[in-house]
Amino acid sequence: MNKFFTGIVCAITLTLTSCQFSENIYINEDGSGKMEFSMDASEMMERVSQIGDGEAAKGMDRVMDSTIVFKDFIIENRDSIANLSPEEQQKIMALEDFKMHIQMNPETKKMVFDLTTDFIDANELQDMLKAMNSFSNLQGQGGASQNSPSTSFSGMGQEGSTAVSYSFDGTVFKRFSKVTDKELHAQSIDSLGQSAAMFGTSKYKINYHFPRVVKSFSKEGAMYSEDRKTVTFEVGFMDMLKDPELLDFEVVLEDK
């Protein structure tokens, strides 16, 4: 597969432990909208020189503002993908409806990755950790180590040890999680090893944008925009991995 994509996979693999994570949802009145999973790895830019001369470091010493449309990537690389195992093909196809926007600038120390997808019905929102799991699993195509920090996403998402679901009836929005396999979940946390300490300062922030004023939010500590149509809630990333239910909440909007 193309070297640019391989380099991006490796770069993200190496920077995950320095990321701040955000789950952003924009919901329209008809229930459609956009979902975005954002990784801010700007702290890592100061350590780019430690990456070395491998594929992951190529291009990281220059300004980059690029978008990967996975549907196009799959079409362009269909012959190479066809030679992969059915399991690996499935991981790539899981990203078909996603786009990734990469912004890197060594002068301003900026490195941000945004994984986005549009949806028609908020009740069918995808688990973004599952999507991130699919993307980080592509490290196998980039030659990254199986002991890399990105393996922390393994086991997360609908096909792993947890399931994240969403519902929206036009007035009440709910996000709820469930550990579906406690043993596998414990193993995925234990497998982090030293990466767990690196994740200690990472945060997972919820930014949800609604078409009407937020009347109530079921968790304490939430922040609101001036027009109260956006609600923000933050927890420690490791805390969220260990206890996914920390991000279970209910949002009630004002009536139409």
Side-chain angles (χ1 to χ4, degrees):
M1 296 185 194
N2 67 60
K3 294 183 178 180
F4 171 78
F5 182 77
T6 298
I8 291 300
V9 172
C10 292
I12 295 176
T13 294
L14 292 171
T15 60
L16 278 172
T17 52
S18 298
C19 278
Q20 302 301 324
F21 305 91
S22 298
E23 180 182 306
N24 310 296
I25 295 180
Y26 303 81
I27 299 180
N28 302 317
E29 192 65 68
D30 63 0
S32 65
K34 181 178 78 170
M35 191 174 194
E36 174 186 83
F37 185 81
S38 178
M39 300 164 283
D40 187 339
S42 299
E43 296 176 19
M44 188 63 185
M45 288 302 290
E46 297 182 5
R47 289 180 272 173
V48 171
S49 60
Q50 299 177 17
I51 295 179
D53 299 324
E55 290 288 342
K58 290 183 179 179
M60 294 181 69
D61 58 346
R62 61 183 175 83
V63 175
M64 178 183 295
D65 190 336
S66 300
T67 298
I68 297 173
V69 179
F70 284 98
K71 183 171 292 185
D72 294 342
F73 173 82
I74 291 172
I75 293 174
E76 293 170 2
N77 294 275
R78 56 183 176 274
D79 292 338
S80 297
I81 294 173
N83 292 325
L84 300 177
S85 68
E87 181 181 7
E88 293 299 321
Q89 290 185 47
Q90 185 176 7
K91 291 173 184 177
I92 295 177
M93 296 305 296
L95 294 166
E96 184 176 12
D97 295 327
F98 287 84
K99 297 179 182 178
M100 174 164 275
H101 184 210
I102 306 103
Q103 289 181 294
M104 291 191 287
N105 189 324
E107 292 186 6
T108 60
K109 303 297 188 293
K110 181 177 183 179
M111 183 185 289
V112 179
F113 307 89
D114 297 320
L115 190 65
T116 64
T117 186
D118 295 323
F119 58 86
I120 297 176
D121 186 347
N123 291 290
E124 299 176 358
L125 279 167
Q126 298 190 51
D127 179 1
M128 292 301 274
L129 277 182
K130 176 185 176 183
M132 190 58 217
N133 182 22
S134 292
F135 182 81
S136 62
N137 273 324
L138 294 182
Q139 65 181 295
Q141 304 306 314
S145 170
Q146 293 301 311
N147 296 319
S148 76
S150 68
T151 58
S152 61
F153 285 98
S154 297
M156 303 298 168
Q158 299 285 1
E159 296 177 349
S161 64
T162 67
V164 179
S165 302
Y166 305 83
S167 68
F168 182 55
D169 64 6
T171 300
V172 179
F173 181 94
K174 295 181 180 180
R175 184 191 195 279
F176 42 98
S177 310
K178 181 180 180 180
V179 176
T180 56
D181 189 326
K182 293 183 178 180
E183 183 177 352
L184 180 60
H185 181 69
Q187 290 176 357
S188 67
I189 298 300
D190 291 341
S191 68
L192 289 175
Q194 295 181 345
S195 294
M198 299 179 190
F199 275 125
T201 60
S202 295
K203 301 293 184 181
Y204 196 97
K205 181 183 291 186
I206 293 291
N207 298 298
Y208 286 1
H209 310 264
F210 296 96
R212 280 174 277 125
V213 170
V214 175
K215 186 176 180 179
S216 66
F217 186 81
S218 61
K219 294 278 190 179
E220 293 185 2
M223 299 181 65
Y224 302 88
S225 62
E226 188 174 347
D227 62 4
R228 285 189 67 88
K229 291 184 179 180
T230 297
V231 61
T232 299
F233 184 65
E234 183 179 273
V235 298
F237 182 66
M238 275 305 303
D239 294 333
M240 183 274 294
L241 288 186
K242 292 178 181 177
D243 182 8
E245 294 181 8
L246 284 176
L247 288 178
D248 285 5
F249 54 76
E250 178 180 286
V251 181
V252 180
L253 307 183
E254 288 190 350
D255 295 332
K256 297 181 180 179

